[in-house]
Amino acid sequence: MVTSARRARRSRAKDIQTLLILGASGDLTGRLLLPGLASLVTADRAPGLRLVGAGAESWTPSKWQRRLAKSLPLDADADATARWKELAATSVYHSLDVTAKGELAAFLKTLDGPVAVFFALPPRISQAACESLSPEDVPFGTRLVLEKPFGSDAASARELNETLRRLVPEDHIHRVDHFLGKGMVLNILGMRFANRFLEPLLNRDHVAEVEIIFDEDLALEGRAGYYDRAGALRDMIQSHLLQIMALMAMEPPATLHERDLRDGIATVLRASRVATPFRKNTRRARYTAGRISGRKVPDYVAEEGVDPDRLTETFAEVRLEINNSRWSGVPFILRSGKAMGTARKEAVVRFRPLAHLPAGFTGTDEPDELRIGFGPDTLSMTLDVTSAGNAFELSRAELTTELHSSALLPYGEVLDGVLHGDPLLSVRDDVAEDCWRIVDPVLSAWSHGRVPLEDYPAGSGGPAADA
Ligand code: NDP
């Protein structure tokens, strides 16, 4: 049913003929976007697509072709290789200053439409490029694809939305969150809404708390230029983790159509805010030198390109409340840290204790837990069961299954939606603003020093629990 609904949606939308990547010489394009496109093209999901790259500096055709060739997976078979080579053979690179008046507009007119314009540019350049366009410069059917961060606070996100809305309708604007792969979204919704014995329990009567954790064992990895101005709260929580929270907490949608799904996400986020006082309900910290799996990691502030005075956090934790009848009083704890000792990427639903355990049982009586692991996507339940050899003694058992994962890379899934006109995975305008509305007061409190910046050694489990 889902498949036929999606097919019907696709047949109504006119498929994109040309993908224009602005910022084609950049890091995002090389590391994520082109390999994602290659996963889509080699799976034969973008036949006939033309790819055009553009950057500020000029590139020789052979330099562009080398970049394309490097994006093909090493294990591609003959058919997959032939499909990618067919796309590469017609692909060209242009030098273009997108902020120069009229340059982007004139260039758009030369392309076979409909065109999808992917702004893989520094955020302020993307904004300037959009502002340089007027509605008549943008041919009918054009789709605009914007990267994160979408604005830097609620006001700037609103302004950017207004600029975009003047150019194309909302359903032709794709605000990318590559973290939300289609597989992950449907895994969460499937777990919640396709299981009779889970859905009735996921509410304030039965759930004590929900944690959504994204701890990385990677440190800065040379990305100071971007990260030192963003920090963990903006980089991970404002965008990705709030979206996961919305999927974990939303009401059941009537269908998996983008309108129902994105309405559900928007409604639950509108009911959400970070609990106060922030000194108690938020934490920020920065890693110091340490070791991760034997690898030496320098102090964050000693990394090239870091300005210690920015006080950028590499660890952020916020406790949210969702003020509706399903979740009132249940804390949602969102946390993300870099350079942590263990990579931990999961959502955990922790249930309330039992009302009464029959007297006679001994051993552990711990709250049940439901865990969704991200990458690889897994579902597990931790339950109390009786022990081997002593049926009166309780012990913990974990039932785990691996969930469906997509054959496409995350950016392949993003581009699949863009090319076929499906905004399901795109962040809607109101949601983009609301996610900033949720974190803006915390960012302001932190910037005024109202919550201390703690530290933690790289390779540890984060700042000390009692700090
Ligand atoms: P880079 O700095 O690596 O690349 C920037 C690109 O923009 C270059 O291709 C550059 O061209 C081009 N550019 C700059 N100014 C102009 C201009 N006036 N006209 C035309 N092209 C211009 O940035 P990233 O690739 O790292 O990031 C791009 C976007 O993606 C950002 O919004 C970032 O936040 C987002 N993002 C990045 C991620 C990543 O892992 N890198 C992950 C998630 C999001 P030239 O080289 O010719 O100067």
Side-chain angles (χ1 to χ4, degrees):
M1 257 179 69
V2 174
T3 315
S4 60
R6 200 173 298 142
R7 252 192 240 117
R9 260 202 317 276
R10 280 188 182 167
S11 64
R12 284 198 298 277
K14 181 124 167 56
D15 284 354
I16 290 298
Q17 295 298 303
T18 304
L19 173 63
L20 167 62
I21 301 180
L22 303 175
S25 58
D27 177 64
L28 176 78
T29 303
R31 242 171 10 91
L32 300 171
L33 196 46
L34 288 177
L37 180 64
S39 74
L40 190 66
V41 169
T42 55
D44 204 16
R45 286 164 77 160
L49 179 73
R50 277 184 67 102
L51 171 67
V52 177
E57 308 289 323
S58 61
W59 268 29
T60 61
S62 57
K63 192 170 176 184
W64 176 236
Q65 288 298 326
R66 278 200 300 279
R67 180 159 253 214
L68 293 182
K70 267 203 338 219
S71 306
L72 186 67
L74 292 174
D75 59 356
D77 65 16
D79 282 350
T81 307
R83 286 186 195 118
W84 187 241
K85 281 190 170 164
E86 194 184 322
L87 175 125
T90 60
S91 181
V92 285
Y93 192 93
H94 281 264
S95 113
L96 191 67
D97 179 357
V98 297
T99 58
K101 195 159 174 47
E103 268 201 40
L104 178 56
F107 189 61
L108 282 179
K109 293 200 167 65
T110 67
L111 302 174
D112 285 340
V115 177
V117 185
F118 201 118
F119 293 85
L121 300 166
R124 70 188 163 78
I125 306 283
S126 298
Q127 170 111 22
C130 293
E131 282 165 2
S132 82
L133 294 170
S134 38
E136 53 279 10
D137 297 331
V138 183
F140 181 76
T142 301
R143 294 182 170 273
L144 304 179
V145 192
L146 277 294
E147 259 301 333
K148 78 160 203 189
F150 188 84
S152 53
D153 54 23
S156 58
R158 199 172 313 121
E159 206 178 304
L160 184 50
N161 274 336
E162 278 162 17
T163 303
L164 295 171
R165 239 179 258 131
R166 277 197 293 273
L167 302 176
V168 297
E170 171 60 25
D171 65 358
H172 282 55
I173 301 168
H174 296 258
R175 294 170 197 78
V176 169
D177 185 353
H178 71 275
F179 201 80
L180 281 191
K182 196 170 278 175
M184 184 203 282
V185 171
L186 295 179
N187 283 338
I188 294 176
L189 298 179
M191 178 278 291
R192 284 196 57 201
F193 301 128
N195 291 296
R196 174 77 208 206
F197 78 105
L198 285 180
E199 164 52 15
L201 297 184
L202 295 176
N203 57 51
R204 67 190 305 272
D205 296 334
H206 301 283
V207 175
E209 64 175 23
V210 179
E211 279 185 326
I212 299 171
I213 308 287
F214 199 89
D215 286 346
E216 296 176 275
D217 55 3
L218 294 175
L220 192 56
E221 316 293 322
R223 292 193 59 216
Y226 161 71
Y227 193 84
D228 197 45
R229 287 186 164 74
L233 183 60
R234 285 191 183 88
D235 183 49
M236 289 304 302
I237 294 180
Q238 184 274 338
S239 47
H240 310 311
L241 301 196
L242 280 175
Q243 295 290 324
I244 294 180
M245 183 190 87
L247 292 168
M248 295 292 293
M250 67 186 281
E251 293 303 315
T255 72
L256 294 177
H257 188 275
E258 59 86 11
R259 175 96 189 261
D260 284 340
L261 196 61
R262 299 199 302 169
D263 278 352
I265 289 174
T267 305
V268 76
L269 286 173
R270 273 202 303 280
S272 307
R273 61 172 205 135
V274 178
T276 51
F278 293 152
R279 210 183 159 90
K280 177 163 166 264
N281 292 296
T282 74
R283 293 187 87 181
R284 58 179 183 139
R286 191 163 67 175
Y287 68 79
T288 54
R291 279 182 181 277
I292 305 175
S293 309
R295 183 169 49 93
K296 242 174 126 172
V297 176
D299 203 320
Y300 176 77
V301 296
E303 296 264 21
E304 200 185 325
V306 168
D307 176 354
D309 294 338
R310 280 199 195 106
L311 301 180
T312 302
E313 80 285 355
T314 59
F315 171 102
E317 183 176 290
V318 293
R319 181 178 283 251
L320 282 108
E321 53 190 37
I322 301 180
N323 294 308
N324 63 18
S325 59
R326 183 188 279 263
W327 293 115
S328 177
V330 179
F332 279 71
I333 299 151
L334 274 47
R335 182 179 100 196
S336 181
K338 267 197 187 302
M340 304 286 275
T342 311
R344 187 179 155 210
K345 301 171 185 180
E346 61 177 359
V348 184
V349 179
R350 204 157 283 123
F351 289 91
R352 289 185 183 283
L354 284 174
H356 173 72
L357 179 72
F361 276 126
T362 59
T364 337
D365 167 26
E366 288 180 32
D368 301 336
E369 288 175 349
L370 183 68
R371 291 170 181 271
I372 300 191
F374 305 125
D377 290 0
T378 52
L379 173 65
S380 45
M381 279 181 230
T382 316
L383 306 167
D384 281 344
V385 294
T386 53
S387 306
N390 179 0
F392 289 99
E393 189 176 326
L394 297 173
S395 60
R396 298 295 269 174
E398 189 165 295
L399 315 177
T400 300
T401 185
E402 196 154 321
L403 299 171
H404 155 87
S405 67
S406 170
L408 297 178
L409 291 173
Y411 270 87
E413 293 203 320
V414 166
L415 289 169
D416 199 31
V418 171
L419 299 182
H420 302 296
D422 183 355
L424 183 78
L425 293 185
S426 302
V427 177
R428 206 168 65 185
D429 52 356
D430 52 339
V431 169
E433 290 172 27
D434 219 28
C435 288
W436 284 115
R437 191 267 307 154
I438 292 170
V439 301
D440 275 355
V442 180
L443 287 168
S444 167
W446 288 6
S447 72
H448 288 93
R450 290 204 281 273
V451 176
L453 179 67
E454 302 169 50
D455 57 36
Y456 60 100
S460 70
D466 54 358

